[in-house]
Amino acid sequence: MSKELLKGNIAMAEAAVRAGVEAYFGYPITPQTELLEWMSERLPALGRTFLQAESEVAAINMLYGAACTGARVMISSSSPGISLMMEGLSYIAGTEVPVVLIDVMRGGPGLGNIAPSQGDYNQIVHGGGHGDYHPIVLAPSSVQEAIDLTVLAFDLAEKYRSIVFVVADGNIGQMMEPAELPPMRPVRTEYPDWAVRGSMGQARHFLSSIYIEPKDEEVANYRMMQVWKRVQENEIRYQEYYLDDAEITVVGFGTAGRIALSAVRNARLQGVKAGLFRPISLNPFPIDELEKISQHTKKLLVVEMNTGQMLNDVQRAVKGKIPIDFYARLGGIVPFPDEILAEILRINQEEIPLEGDPRQRWMKRFAPVINWKN
Amino acid sequence: MVTTATPVQVVYKRPTSLSDIPTHYCPGCTHGIAHRLIAEVMDEMNIRDKTIGVAPVGCSVFAYNYFTCDFVEAAHGRAPAMATGIKRVLPDRVVFTYQGDGDMASIGMSEIIHAAGRGENLTVIFINNAIYGMTGGQMAPTTLPGQKTTSSPNGRDVETMGFPMKMAELLSQLDGAGYVVRRSLHDPKNIRMAKKAIRLAFETQVHGLGFSMVELLSTCNTNWGISVLESIQWLEDHMIPAYPIGDYKVSPAVANLKV
Ligand SMILES: Cc1ncc(C[n+]2csc(CCOP(=O)(O)OP(=O)(O)O)c2C)c(N)n1
Ligand code: SF4
Ligand SMILES: [Mg+2]
């Protein structure tokens, strides 16, 4: 295979096709619609299932049904649509069937806008649906990584009978970049022994999220936690840049991480020892790795396209050992590398307090940027 | 002495599609009758092995315990969407949903309309008992005008609470529907008619003739707050006039089916 110029949404869709996705359900919403459109052409041509549902509520429940047959299944949407899927997601989690979801995040809350955002972090990483469950969440920062993580998502979903999210933002979804697609894998012909496919002469199966006896639900919750423990032990993913001697470490995921890398490189050119830590698995979050980094680096700068949802997880990892500052653009605005560079240079000069809320310090610094007057 | 053996004839036995376990339904509840009819039809058509049921949220939430075929359990009202997902992946299996009136005509209205509109090859067994049974007798979309429930204590006032939803009539308007009928479970004659309809609904699916639904007028003596016998009478006196028994949509292809 060779590299070709690919748009993020289409690259993820085609990656799923080549990973052997058997059924896709969706509903149009910008900025992920090209993904749905691609599937509408590709899947029927390959004799696989595509269906545009009447709503995201229906789509996620179609996905749930299809997942119960043991088929490789996927859904995609953007923030408001993902909100509608939370009910179904909780049932899927409770039934422990594998599914892959792609969220191409946009500005919110509410209808918000169609520009890139990272505002769904909490909803996806820390739950969203009711009850105790833990989805695996992967965040790409390039089209190539979006392809690779989409393929990985199917394997992880099946390995752990888990929900796997690929969280991109409007930027990754809409951007065109040279990237290489994986070879076509054959569609599976064997299905897991828990699959509901009609008993066909074998023992009957049923799948549900009901454990009417609390003592059974307790065991089910505990079992899911055991699975999650294995995920935490084996599926932490991240990328480090220039961290060997970094005194200032920027932490950012997805598009924010990618832009921060340009800023870090520019800071290096100016003689500042900056580095970047880019979490790829947002869940499980690389807590231990960040803690280790906090032993070598002097200051952290967390950069997000939300009001600091991942910041809380970073603080949990660092445990107040080194000072953290925060920088964000909100509501669909993507930061420029120069904004982040300015922050790195400022932090290089200034003392940052260990105490206090990095978010509030940022709000003060940020107010003039949006002409906010008190 | 010469003895002659009297030939033994089995006149009643449990369908193999029905599990041999005690019921959790209230004594006199018609859910059990509906279950048995479905199981008999599965036996007669010899489809148990390739049938997947989708249970609802409501008193029949444990429907999967009573059938020996494969089953899944949907979120409240979402059974038609879940069934769609299964059927689209496994088109040669028989997929049916079993839904109450709150499940289908209230929270799941969108999912059922669109499943019918798409002409999904699914069979829906719809239990209309004019009430939310499982949650203790609140008003359902099918509750009759003037009917008292725990959330319409002075009777359903159509001015503020709207009018009953007539699902068979509604769904029959959709081109995707192949077979949509209403039957009742209040006496043996009607039960026999209900069984025939369930058979035809499954045949509709097996022959790929589109969406099929059998609405079954049912009782909930417990939450109606009357005896079993009174509930049967109440169904006959009040529900049948509001929800006439009949065939609302029988597509020409279904009408030609020989069962
Ligand atoms: C999202 C959601 N809302 C509400 C409920 C509570 N609930 C459970 S069963 C039910 C009503 C069921 O009534 P119906 O569908 O008529 O079935 P029946 O019990 O009468 O057979 C409700 C409201 C729920 N389980 N999930
Ligand atoms: S509450 Fe009503 S619908 Fe539920 S089992 Fe009892 S009689 Fe049947
Ligand atoms: Mg009811």
Side-chain angles (χ1 to χ4, degrees), chain B residues 24-31 59 129 131 133-134 219-223:
Chain B
H24 80 286
Y25 294 112
C26 305
C29 178
T30 44
H31 269 304
C59 276
N129 57 10
I131 206 149
M134 189 192 208
T219 64
C220 175
N221 57 287
T222 301
N223 285 304

Side-chain angles (χ1 to χ4, degrees), chain B residues 27-28 219-222 224-234:
Chain B
T219 64
C220 175
N221 57 287
T222 301
W224 292 356
I226 49 182
S227 73
V228 173
L229 283 178
E230 285 166 337
S231 73
I232 289 168
Q233 197 61 49
W234 195 87

Side-chain angles (χ1 to χ4, degrees), chain B residues 145-163:
Chain B
Q147 186 185 339
K148 286 186 179 164
T149 70
T150 61
S151 59
S152 58
N154 300 316
R156 182 177 190 165
D157 175 359
V158 294
E159 291 294 324
T160 56
M161 302 169 200
F163 295 87

Side-chain angles (χ1 to χ4, degrees), chain A residues 54 87 197 200-201 204-205, chain B residues 49 64 69-70 93 118:
Chain A
E54 63 269 29
E87 178 204 48
R197 301 177 67 83
M200 309 304 267
R204 80 175 288 237
H205 293 93
Chain B
D49 235 19
Y64 58 78
C69 63
D70 273 18
R93 306 300 201 273
R118 284 190 304 267

Side-chain angles (χ1 to χ4, degrees), chain A residues 1 15 18-19 180-186:
Chain A
M1 298 276 160
R18 296 186 183 199
E180 190 176 330
L181 284 161
M184 192 76 143
R185 277 197 220 172

Side-chain angles (χ1 to χ4, degrees), chain B residues 183-197:
Chain B
R183 298 289 186 264
S184 176
L185 298 177
H186 71 284
D187 66 18
K189 173 172 160 265
N190 279 281
I191 289 170
R192 274 197 298 277
M193 284 167 58
K195 179 172 168 190
K196 270 195 182 144

